C-alpha cells in the first residue's frame, strides 16, 4: 500500500491527472481480489460507464468488433490473451485486462516471436482491455476498444512467474531522474530493437513512449528511420511502451487515428517535450477542468448491446 502512495506522491501531479488514476504498469496488484459491490442504480443515466464496464468479468458473446474511438468505445467478441505463451507472460492478472480484439491477440503472438529474434527473451504484457472494453475505473483514458496493449520494458525471465510475482513484481524505470534522457544504467540497444520490431509490424498504427525514450530511439535508429514516425512521445510510458493497432476490417464503426505523417519526429517536435511547460505542466486547477465522466449515453449506441449481451 505504501508503495502505491509513494508513487502518487512522487509523480508530478499533472502527469497523474492525465493518467486519471493509478494502476500504472508498475503499480502492484492484489492476490485477494474482491468482486465490486453491485450498483444500486445501474440504469440511472448518470451512472459512469466505467462503473458498468468495470464490473464485467467476461466478453460479450457477439462477433468481434471494436466499436468507437480508442478513448471512447467498447469491444464485442473479445478474446483473452493466454496468461502464458511461447514468448510472453501476462502481468497483474487481478486486473482482468488481458482482453483484446482477435487482431490484437494475433499481433502479440507474432510480435513475441519476432522479439525473441532481436534478443528479447519474451514479453511481459501489461494491460490490454477489459472483457467488454469501455472506460476503466483506474488508469488509461484509452485501451477501450481492444486495440491497445502495454508491454513492459523489462524482459521476461526464463521461468514461469508465480501469481505473486505477476501482481507485485515492479517494472524497471527507464527514464533518468532529470527526465531528459533514458537512464544509461538500465537502457540497452535491444530495447530500441524491440520497439522497432513492433513499429515495423504492418498492423501497428502508433506506439507511445516517454519523450526520453523517443530521444534514445532517435539517437540509435541509424539510417533506416521510417518506423520512427509511428513512435510518439507521451507522458508516463517510462516503464512500458504502448502499442496501438489499426481498426480491424470487421469493425466499420471503429474510429482510426489520423496517419502520423512521414517525419521521424526527432527534431523540433521532440525538443518541445523537454521544455519546462511539457516537463512540468501547471497543476490541473490552472490547466483547466478535469476530464468529464463518460456515461453509457456518451459512448456509441452499440456499446449498450455489448454491455447487455448474455
Ligand atoms: Zn497504455
Amino acid at each position: 500500500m505504501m508503495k502505491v502512495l509513494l508513487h502518487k506522491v512522487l509523480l508530478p501531479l499533472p502527469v497523474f491527472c492525465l493518467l486519471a488514476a493509478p494502476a500504472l504498469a508498475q503499480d502492484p496488484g492484489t492476490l485477494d481480489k474482491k468482486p465490486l459491490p453491485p450498483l444500486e442504480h445501474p440504469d440511472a443515466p448518470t451512472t459512469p460507464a466505467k462503473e458498468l464496464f468495470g464490473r464485467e468479468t467476461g466478453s460479450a458473446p457477439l462477433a468481434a468488433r471494436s466499436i468507437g474511438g480508442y478513448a471512447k468505445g467498447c469491444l464485442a467478441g473479445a478474446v483473452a490473451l493466454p496468461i502464458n505463451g511461447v514468448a510472453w507472460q501476462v502481468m497483474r492478472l487481478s486486473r482482468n485486462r488481458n482482453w483484446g480484439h482477435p487482431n490484437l491477440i494475433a499481433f502479440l503472438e507474432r510480435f513475441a516471436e519476432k522479439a525473441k529474434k532481436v534478443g528479447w527473451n519474451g514479453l511481459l504484457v501489461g494491460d490490454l482491455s477489459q472483457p467488454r472494453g469501455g472506460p476503466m475505473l483506474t488508469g488509461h483514458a484509452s485501451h477501450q476498444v481492444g486495440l491497445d496493449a502495454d508491454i513492459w520494458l523489462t524482459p521476461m525471465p526464463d521461468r514461469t512467474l508465480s501469481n505473486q510475482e505477476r501482481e507485485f513484481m515492479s517494472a524497471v524505470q527507464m527514464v533518468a531522474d532529470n527526465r531528459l534522457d533514458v537512464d544509461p544504467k538500465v537502457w540497452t540497444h535491444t530495447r530500441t530493437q524491440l520497439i522497432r520490431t513492433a513499429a515495423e509490424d504492418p498492423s501497428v498504427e502508433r506506439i507511445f513512449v516517454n519523450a526520453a525514450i523517443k530521444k534514445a530511439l532517435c539517437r540509435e535508429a541509424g539510417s533506416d528511420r521510417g518506423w520512427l514516425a509511428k513512435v510518439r512521445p507521451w507522458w508516463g510510458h517510462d516503464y512500458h511502451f504502448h502499442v496501438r493497432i489499426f481498426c480491424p476490417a470487421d469493425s466499420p464503426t471503429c474510429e482510426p487515428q489520423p496517419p502520423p505523417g512521414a517525419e521521424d519526429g526527432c527534431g523540433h517536435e521532440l525538443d518541445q517535450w523537454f521544455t519546462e511547460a511539457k516537463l512540468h505542466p501547471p497543476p490541473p486547477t490552472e490547466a483547466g477542468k478535469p476530464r468529464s465522466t463518460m456515461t453509457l449515453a456518451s459512448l456509441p449506441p452499440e456499446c449498450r448491446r455489448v454491455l447487455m449481451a448474455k
Side-chain angles (χ1 to χ4, degrees), residues 127 140 142-143 148-150 237 240-243:
D127 288 356
H140 313 295
S142 65
H143 290 251
D148 293 289
D150 286 344
H237 299 91
H240 73 274
F241 63 108
H242 173 144
V243 180

